[in-house]
Amino acid sequence: MPDSDYDDMADEEPIEAYCVSCRLTVEMEHPTPVWTRRGTPGTRGECPICGTTVFRMGRTDAHRAHARPESGRMVGKTATALQKPGQPRFAAYINYGPLDETIAARIADDLNRTGIPVWVDPNSAVQDKDQWASRVQPGLLECSHMVVVLSQSALDTEDVEESWRFFREHRKP
């Protein structure tokens, strides 16, 4: 067996986390390196007893293999800059599928020219479920409205649906 294969199979230290359901500190099953929306490393896994999700903050060896995801960006003024006494704060979240990046950028530019700040996910083509929250969460929280580029590509993408559900659950237009 080549040395590189042996290195990949090297025993990793078990990661312990507190399970809120069991009220015990357990060794995490299926640990996955993730980043929070602020860019802090953490590890998400399952409780071996009850199967619920457990989480532990901090960098692990597994984080070395994964780069920190790039967060989305706000085009134009920040949403807080638009807030004036007696006026609502507007910012648009552009929700689109991986094949619709060109039209989404055009919509973002048009809205920005009218004075509405726009949040765009730079990695919408990346279908990484573990990094979705840290890439998109800031935009979902900051924006007041969502523009959905509805296409077959968007309908086939789970991230588009997840973003739309977040807005719907928070009663945002």
Side-chain angles (χ1 to χ4, degrees):
M1 182 181 298
D3 290 335
S4 62
D5 290 343
Y6 181 74
D7 291 340
D8 292 340
M9 295 171 43
D11 293 331
E12 293 182 10
E13 247 182 75
I15 300 172
E16 293 184 343
Y18 183 77
C19 178
V20 178
S21 298
C22 298
R23 296 185 181 181
L24 296 170
T25 300
V26 296
E27 286 186 10
M28 189 183 295
E29 287 186 346
H30 313 293
T32 305
V34 296
W35 281 262
T36 65
R37 68 178 198 176
R38 294 182 185 221
T40 307
T43 306
R44 181 185 306 131
E46 294 178 14
C47 173
I49 300 168
C50 65
T52 59
T53 301
V54 291
F55 187 82
R56 179 174 180 150
M57 294 296 297
R59 184 176 294 276
T60 62
D61 291 335
H63 285 90
R64 290 185 194 151
H66 301 285
R68 180 175 172 244
E70 182 182 341
S71 180
R73 61 184 169 82
M74 186 68 85
V75 178
K77 301 176 187 175
T78 61
T80 54
L82 293 179
Q83 194 170 7
K84 295 179 183 173
Q87 291 184 341
R89 179 177 89 168
F90 292 109
Y93 177 90
I94 305 295
N95 194 3
Y96 61 98
L99 300 177
D100 303 321
E101 190 169 354
T102 305
I103 190 72
R106 190 169 171 193
I107 292 170
D109 289 339
D110 289 344
L111 287 172
N112 187 34
R113 275 191 232 123
T114 63
I116 298 173
V118 178
W119 196 92
V120 180
D121 180 11
N123 297 321
S124 71
V126 178
Q127 297 282 323
D128 189 355
K129 191 72 171 164
D130 295 325
Q131 305 306 326
W132 178 82
S134 56
R135 277 193 348 254
V136 175
Q137 190 77 11
L140 294 174
L141 292 172
E142 188 172 345
C143 292
S144 60
H145 291 73
M146 178 181 286
V147 175
V148 179
V149 178
L150 195 55
S151 67
Q152 191 61 46
S153 173
L155 293 173
D156 294 340
T157 306
E158 287 183 33
D159 290 354
V160 172
E161 185 177 349
E162 290 289 327
S163 300
W164 178 79
R165 285 185 186 201
F166 180 90
F167 257 67
R168 186 172 178 199
E169 289 171 4
H170 289 84
R171 299 180 186 262
K172 293 183 174 187

